[in-house]
Amino acid sequence: MKRIYNSEEIELKWQRIWKEKNIFKVTEDKDKPKFYNLEMYPYPSGKIHMGHVRNYSIGDVYSRYKRKKGYNVLYPMGYDAFGLPAENAAILKGVHPRIWTLNCIKMMMEQQKRLGLSYDWDRYIASCDENYYKWNQWIFLKFYERGLAYKKKAPINWCDNCGTVLANEQVIDGKCWRCESEVVEKELEQWFFRIKEYADELLDDLDKLDDWPEAVKILQKNWIGKSFGTGISFPVDGMDKTVETFTTRPDTLFGVTYMVLAPEYYLVPELIAGTSKERAIKEFIKRVKKKTRIDRMREDVEKEGIFIERYFTHPLTGEKFPIYIGDYILADYGTGAVMAVPAHDQRDFEFAKKYGLPIKVVITPPDKQLKSEELECAYVEEGVLINSNEFNALSNVDAIDKITKHLEKIGKGGHTVSYRLRDWLISRQRYWGTPIPIIYCESCGIMPVPEEELPVVLPDDVKFTGKCNPLETSLSFVNCTCPKCKSQARRETDTMDTFVDSSWYFFRYTSPDCQSLPFDTEKANYWMSVDQYIGGIEHAIMHLLYSRFFTKALRDIGLTNEDEPFKRLLTQGMVLKDGSVMSKSRGNIVDPGDIIEEYGVDTLRLFILFSAPPVKELEWSTEGITGAYRFLNRVWNIVVENLSIIVGNGEKKIDCENLDELEKRLLSRINYAIKKVTDDIERFHFNTAISALMELTNELYKFISEKGLKEKGMVNSVFTSGIYRLIELLSPFTPHIAEELWNMSGRDGMVSTILWPSYEPRFLEVKEKSIAIQVNGKVRGTILVNEMDDEETVKEKAKSVENVKRFTAKGIKRIIYIKDKIVSIVAEGN
C-alpha cells in the first residue's frame, strides 16, 4: 500500500518531544482531581505480543483522555520480574536469572516506548530489585508480628517439573497452572499467610465493587465459598477420637448410614494403624493421591472407597456405622469428613449401592411414603421427616433449625460457618524470588531477621541444576548468625510466591523512591485507590484476591486508609488468529514489530482499538489493518490538502445566526461526534468512538466537496472547527499523527496537553424515532434512536431498559437490530 506519510519519522519525532518536555511526569496536585490508571504490570518475557499491545493501548487511550479532561493522571509501568522462566533460563542456557530478566526488561521497555505509551517512566519499578523486595520482606515481618504469617506442616501441591510448591489457586484441573504438568501431594513445612482471617471482609466488600465485572465477583465469591450449616460430632467407636463434619442438611441426620473421609484427613494415620487392612488402605490412599483434583470431583466418574475397619457412633441414635475413605472427598473442602446419607444424596446413593451399604429414607413426599428398597435414585426434593424420632412429620426445612438446636443442647454440634478459602501458601523452593526473612537457631528457634538487616539479598554463588532449591547450594547464604544469641544458625531457603510481589506494587508506584517504608503513606492516601485497573480475567482469583487481602492487611498495619485497591476493573479479551489464541505452538503469531515497521504504531493501535470492544475477544485481520491504515491516510489528506484554508486563519468564532444548511449539518455532526466519542471512551466502547470519527471524517469530505472550498480557496469556520475537533478527538487513539497534524495546521502547543473539547447541546439537532424492543418474541419496552446511533449504541440502549433487564436476568443469547424498526433479543433459558 502506498505510503502517504512517513509514520516512523513522525512517531519517533513526537516521542522524543514528549520525553524532552516531560509531559507525562506527574506529582501530587490538590488543585486537580486525581486519576490513577493502571494496567496489571507484566512479566518481562522479552518481546511483547498482541495481547500486550491491546492491554497497553486501552490503558493509554484512557490516560490521555483523562489528562485532557483536566485530571491529574498517575499512569506508571513496571515489571513483575521474579519467576520461574528466568530460573529455567539459568538451568537450560547458563544465564543468571538476573541478567536474563534485566535483558528482557530492557527489550520490553524499548518496545513499549515505541508504542508511544504515555507512562511516567520515573516511577518504574521491577520486583527483582532489592530496593523493592526489601519491602516484601518488611511486610512479611509485620505479618509475622501480627500472626498473619505462620509455618506449619501440611499437605501441599507439588509440581515435579517445576520443582516447587503450588498454591491451591495455581492448580488448574489437577495440573500446574504454568507448565501443565500433573500435580502430586507431599507434606512439607511451609509458610502461610492467614488470608482466611479476612474471608468475611473479602466476601462482604465485593458488594462495594459496583464497577467490577460480575463474573469476577462471582469467581471470588465462589472461591471464598462461605456456607452456613451445622457442625456435627461423631465419636469414633473404641477410640478417644471424634470426627467433626459440616453439613447444610442436618434434616437428613437420621438417614446417615456410613461416613467417608478424605485420604488426606488428619486422623487417618491413627485410625488405620494396626488394622488388618492397613497396608491395603495405604496403597489405596497412594493411588488416590495420584489422581487429579478435577477427576476426584467429577460427577461422571465412578467413586472409589475402602472400609478402614473402624466405626462411628451416631450422636442421636447411638447406632454404629462404618467409616470409609473415599476418593471423592477432599481435605480442603468442609472438614474433610462427610456424613453419608445415601437416600437423599445421589453421590452417596451410588457409593452405597456399589459397596452394599444400608440406605435409610428419612424424608418423603407429603402424599407418599418412600421405601428404601424401592429407590432407584436419591430423593433430593423437599418433604416431611420420617424415621427421625421426635422430629417425624416436620417439614425438612423446619427440621434443619430444630435438629441443629437439639445438637447444640446436647453438646453434639451446632450452627457453624464453613469456608472453601484456605490460607495462602507462600513458600516456594526456588531461587528467583524474595528470600523469606527467617533464621533458624537450635537454641532460639524461629527468629525473624532484624529490620535493620533487610534486605536479605539473593546470593550469586548458587548452582542451577534443576534438581533442588539453588539457595541450598550457597553456603554463604545458608550459614548465618542468630540475631538473638549470636550462635551459628541457618537461614530459610524458601522464597516467596511471586504473587506476593504483585499484591502491593500499585502502592509502591505512588512513591517508588521511598526509603523509610514500603511507600509514603501521605502520597498513597492522595493517589489510592486505583481508579481504573486493566488486565485479564485469568487473574480474577489469585492476583485480584491477594491484592484485596494485602490492602486490608496493610490498612490494619496503619499504612493506608483504603479498604479496596481497585475501584473499577476492566478485563480485556484475548487476541485471536484463525479462531485460536496466538501462540508459537500453533504457528499463528503476528509480531507487533512487523506491523509497526510496515504500517506504523498509530495504525496498529487504531486496528486493535477499533476491531472489537475491549472486553470481547479480538480476531486478527490483515484486512482490518489495511483498513485502519487507509482511514489514517484519509485523515492525513483532508488536513494536508486543505492547509491553505486552515493555516494562518486560526479558529474563528462561528456565526451561528448566519449558517447555511450544509454548515448547520456539519456543525451538528461535529457536536454529535464530540458527545459520542466522549461517552464511548468513558464506557470503554472505543470501537464505536472510532466509528464516530470515521463518520465525522466522511462528513468533512462531503462538506468540502459540496461547498467547493478547496477550489475557491475559501476559509470556512465550521470546516476549520471540524478539522481541529477531529484531530483532538483522534489524539488519544493515534497520538503521533494527531500531534503532527495539529502542528501542521498551525495550532500552538501539543494536542496531548490541551483540554478535551466540549459539545453544545443546542447543535445536537438529530431526528429521533421510537422503536420496540422484543424479548423472546414479546414487546417489553421501547427506546428512542436517532440517525447517528450506530448498531452497538442501539443495542446498549435496549439492554439498559429496566423491563428488558428483568426479562434477561439470566443473560442474553442473541440480540439483533433491524435498522429503524425493532431490536429483537433472545434471552438465556429459552
Side-chain angles (χ1 to χ4, degrees), residues 654 656 659 663-679 696 718 721-722 725 729 757-766 788:
I654 297 172
C656 300
L659 300 180
E663 290 168 332
K664 287 178 181 178
R665 175 183 169 84
L666 180 57
L667 188 58
S668 176
R669 294 301 189 265
I670 293 168
N671 279 274
Y672 176 78
I674 296 170
K675 182 180 187 303
K676 174 71 173 164
V677 174
T678 303
D679 291 346
L696 178 58
V718 179
S721 174
R725 298 300 87 74
L729 296 174
S758 58
Y759 66 89
E760 294 191 51
R762 66 191 174 113
F763 296 130
L764 293 175
E765 294 180 6
V766 290
M788 296 185 191

Side-chain angles (χ1 to χ4, degrees), residues 356-412:
L357 295 163
I359 298 173
K360 180 182 178 183
V361 174
V362 293
I363 298 174
T364 191
D367 57 347
K368 176 185 177 183
Q369 186 152 322
L370 300 176
K371 295 182 179 179
S372 300
E373 61 273 15
E374 296 175 357
L375 287 179
E376 295 182 359
C377 62
Y379 177 73
V380 296
E381 307 300 325
E382 293 185 0
V384 296
L385 265 62
I386 60 174
N387 302 320
S388 299
N389 296 354
E390 67 265 38
F391 302 100
N392 285 340
L394 281 175
S395 77
N396 74 292
V397 175
D398 291 339
I400 289 174
D401 187 57
K402 291 185 181 298
I403 290 176
T404 302
K405 286 180 176 177
H406 181 66
L407 288 167
E408 284 179 340
K409 184 178 178 180
I410 63 174
K412 300 287 186 178

